[in-house]
Amino acid sequence: LELDEDDEARWEPPMVGRATQLDLVRDAVSALTRGEGGVVLIEGAEGIGRSRLFGFALQQARLIGIPAYTARLAARESGFESLVRLGEQVSVELGPRVPPELNRALRAFSPGRNNVAGDLRYQLYDGIRDALDALLEVGPVIIGVDDLHNAPPPMIDLIGYLTRTLIVRDRAPLLILGTIRTGGVLSELATLRDGTELGVAPVRIELRPLSRADMVELVEAL
């Protein structure tokens, strides 16, 4: 059997030793079809497979037709750039139905600004929330934030705001999914991880190093 270059590039080793974690992700995505939202945090050390499990969750959502809007946060990123990218994704999806508040906030944003006036900041928050609210009238939605440990304070504020208003108060089928690299200082994420900022306890999926048996299974697959 010959393997062409495209097939070889697409092949990935199996996710061994992650049965429990995979089940938790499947359950969180499946809960959306029952109208249940929530927050899932995938945590673990560098290179342990956080982004891969994050991708698995998005793949499960695609299989059942649930849209996902994602952002990957770079270190030392300007406070509002990631929020604007997320707002732009949602506005493209809504087209002419975009809330005017979100349009005004996106037009007013200047790239590279770390500080945004209070009115514009909350206009952006409210605009994203209202846009998601419109999307949620059609069906469940996922917001995915990879490398949440790099999140600037405005992104943390937004996640808390969306969770408290859409998931807790309105009981909307919204899943907020994030990945966090552990091992460093995570004090700014403390209130997200313990649920204080959210108003609900998140599902925290911790990825630990593979066992010897898992490594044998992985090498055999390779």
Side-chain angles (χ1 to χ4, degrees), residues 21 24-26 28-29 32 37-43 50-61 68-73 86 141-148 155 159 163 167 174-180 202-205:
Q21 292 85 353
L24 287 171
V25 166
R26 288 191 191 96
V29 174
L32 290 172
V39 179
V40 173
L41 302 177
I42 301 170
E43 306 182 358
R50 299 184 317 274
S51 292
R52 184 136 184 242
L53 189 57
F54 179 84
F56 173 80
L58 300 182
Q59 181 186 43
Q60 295 300 298
Y69 306 93
T70 62
R72 185 174 186 183
L73 305 181
L86 185 60
V141 171
I142 292 179
I143 296 293
V145 185
D146 201 6
D147 290 344
L148 191 54
M155 177 59 81
I159 290 172
T163 303
I167 297 174
L174 171 67
L175 174 62
I176 296 179
L177 178 68
T179 70
I180 298 174
V203 175
R204 292 174 58 185
I205 302 177

Side-chain angles (χ1 to χ4, degrees), residues 66-87:
I66 296 176
Y69 306 93
T70 62
R72 185 174 186 183
L73 305 181
R76 299 181 298 277
E77 185 170 20
S78 172
F80 282 82
E81 290 178 3
S82 54
L83 271 69
V84 169
R85 290 200 305 273
L86 185 60

Side-chain angles (χ1 to χ4, degrees), residues 4-62:
D4 65 34
E5 291 182 2
D6 288 339
D7 287 337
E8 188 171 6
R10 284 195 299 267
W11 188 84
E12 288 186 339
M15 294 180 69
V16 301
R18 302 294 188 227
T20 299
Q21 292 85 353
L22 290 169
D23 284 344
L24 287 171
V25 166
R26 288 191 191 96
D27 289 346
V29 174
S30 296
L32 290 172
T33 64
R34 303 190 297 272
E36 301 170 11
V39 179
V40 173
L41 302 177
I42 301 170
E43 306 182 358
E46 181 69 30
I48 206 164
R50 299 184 317 274
S51 292
R52 184 136 184 242
L53 189 57
F54 179 84
F56 173 80
L58 300 182
Q59 181 186 43
Q60 295 300 298
R62 283 194 296 270

Side-chain angles (χ1 to χ4, degrees), residues 113-166:
R113 289 174 60 187
N114 289 315
N115 296 313
V116 177
D119 288 348
L120 178 57
R121 171 189 302 224
Y122 295 112
Q123 190 177 74
L124 184 57
Y125 291 169
D126 287 341
I128 291 174
R129 184 206 58 197
D130 291 347
L132 286 172
D133 201 25
L135 290 172
L136 287 161
E137 291 177 1
V138 178
V141 171
I142 292 179
I143 296 293
V145 185
D146 201 6
D147 290 344
L148 191 54
H149 47 272
N150 291 326
M155 177 59 81
I156 297 172
D157 290 346
L158 176 68
I159 290 172
Y161 181 51
L162 295 178
T163 303
R164 292 190 306 272
T165 57
L166 294 176

